[in-house]
Amino acid sequence: MKIHFIGIGGIGLSALAKFLAGQGHTISGSDMRQSEITDDLALNYGAKITIPHHPDAVEGADRVIYSAAVRPSNVEYKRAKELGIELLSRKEALKFILGDKEVYAVGGAHGKSTTSAMLASLLPGTNALIGAISKEFGSNVRSAPNDRVVFEADESDESFLNSHPYLAIVTNVEPEHMEYYEYDEERFYNAYRKFLDLAKIRVLNAEDPFLASLDIDAIRLYPSRDLKKIEYTLCEGEPHTRFELKDLGVFEVFGFGAHIALDAALAILAAMELGEEPEAIRERLRNYRGIKKRFDIIQNDEHCVVIDDYGHHPTEIRATLEALKTFRQMRGLPRLKVIWQPHKYTRTLDNLKGFVECFEGVDELVILPIWSAGEIEIPIDLKGAFSRYQPILAERVTREDGVVKILDEKGHPIREFREGLIAAFGAGDITYQIRGER
């Protein structure tokens, strides 16, 4: 089948395209701009890529799948409609992509990409569809000649309800994407209830308030009791966490933080429930090398370390900052400097108090313009809200010859960071800026 993807450059839609290519389908796609993802699809998956969107791109397709950002006014969407080509949203497409597979779905507000990638490491013979790039296999997709799939399940539009999970892990539950749920918390929590009801095996963080309230059959992790002797170590300057899990002995995993141990423990318990032995799990966990844009060390010099992190919610940022503070001390780096690109006006406004509090303890805070993600602008006084930090409000950043440069709207440097621990947070284009790619 020939399948065309509108918005193929997104991390989620590109994963589906790669997976279907691995299943023998011919894929093509379009996006607004060329990227590392579109280049990879063209080079390694034989996809014909159209930049930007063009109505001719859908010609000859048997089916068109489009991202959540695509509207009916999109030229390719309209053309596919005219030609009578079947149009499916990403959410709808999951039904035919995953419907006959044995799916091990990982959901939750925070940590689902990490937990998915860890579970993929523990189940090396499975397919994997992850909303991030696993450094172990260098992609957001891994193909295998069977019907077992590790899948990162997305609650933002209830699409996880179309994943048909055999096993479901939920790391935690926190109201997010509430604009989709029309700010109805009961509807939001019911989506998680339905997701868990679909699964035959459930693995839960039992100390999450919502998950603790559920009267369902599940394997439950109690982090405060089941995770012991959590300690951090450096291996060639990179972070690792050691911990004891129940009576299963010591495990070691890439990354710093109690949240890393929690994510790993959930993946371990799930893998054991699927029949994997503890000793094999212990060894395979060492294959996990982290995921791109999560505590991602992109410069690792003696006096200057730069980290790119996808964190775009106060809970995620706070947890990563705690790990960063420990990492800074262990590396003997003088100061912690944070560059933050807020993601979406609605998220920033809904969580403004949490964002203000989560940066407590940073030595310098740089705030970039809000990445709109297609939203209509909402005026937000970031300088006033974050006044306690005396933040630097900048237009963008770049990194050249090991120096992070903070730039104004004319591209002139406001500040240069040459030493210390520098962390960039955000889900927009900050990852390209801090890598010096834009």
Side-chain angles (χ1 to χ4, degrees), residues 391-411:
I392 302 168
L393 268 60
E395 184 66 24
R396 58 186 300 273
V397 300
T398 189
R399 186 167 58 91
E400 299 174 356
D401 300 323
V403 178
V404 175
K405 298 181 179 181
I406 315 300
L407 308 175
D408 64 17
E409 64 277 0
K410 294 181 180 178

Side-chain angles (χ1 to χ4, degrees), residues 8-136:
I8 199 168
I11 195 73
L13 210 62
S14 66
L16 298 186
K18 293 175 186 178
F19 184 70
L20 289 172
Q23 302 283 308
H25 297 281
T26 300
I27 61 170
S28 63
S30 62
D31 216 303
M32 291 300 294
R33 59 184 65 86
Q34 183 182 3
S35 67
E36 183 181 345
I37 290 174
T38 59
D39 290 346
D40 177 45
L41 285 158
L43 184 64
N44 297 313
Y45 294 86
K48 181 182 178 183
I49 302 296
T50 302
I51 306 289
H53 303 298
H54 193 281
D56 290 349
V58 302
E59 300 280 349
D62 299 306
R63 179 175 280 162
V64 171
I65 300 173
Y66 58 93
S67 77
V70 172
R71 301 288 177 260
S73 58
N74 177 278
V75 293
E76 293 181 18
Y77 185 102
K78 289 166 68 175
R79 182 59 177 155
K81 200 88 168 171
E82 290 170 4
L83 293 172
I85 300 171
E86 182 182 19
L87 276 157
L88 295 174
S89 67
R90 177 185 177 274
K91 176 180 176 179
E92 294 165 336
L94 292 178
K95 292 178 183 178
F96 90 84
I97 294 173
L98 298 176
D100 61 348
K101 308 290 191 296
E102 184 170 292
V103 178
Y104 314 136
V106 182
H110 315 295
K112 55 183 175 284
S113 292
T114 300
T115 307
S116 300
M118 289 176 175
L119 184 60
S121 295
L122 303 184
L123 304 172
T126 61
N127 295 278
L129 281 163
I130 302 172
I133 304 298
S134 167
K135 291 187 174 180
E136 179 184 349

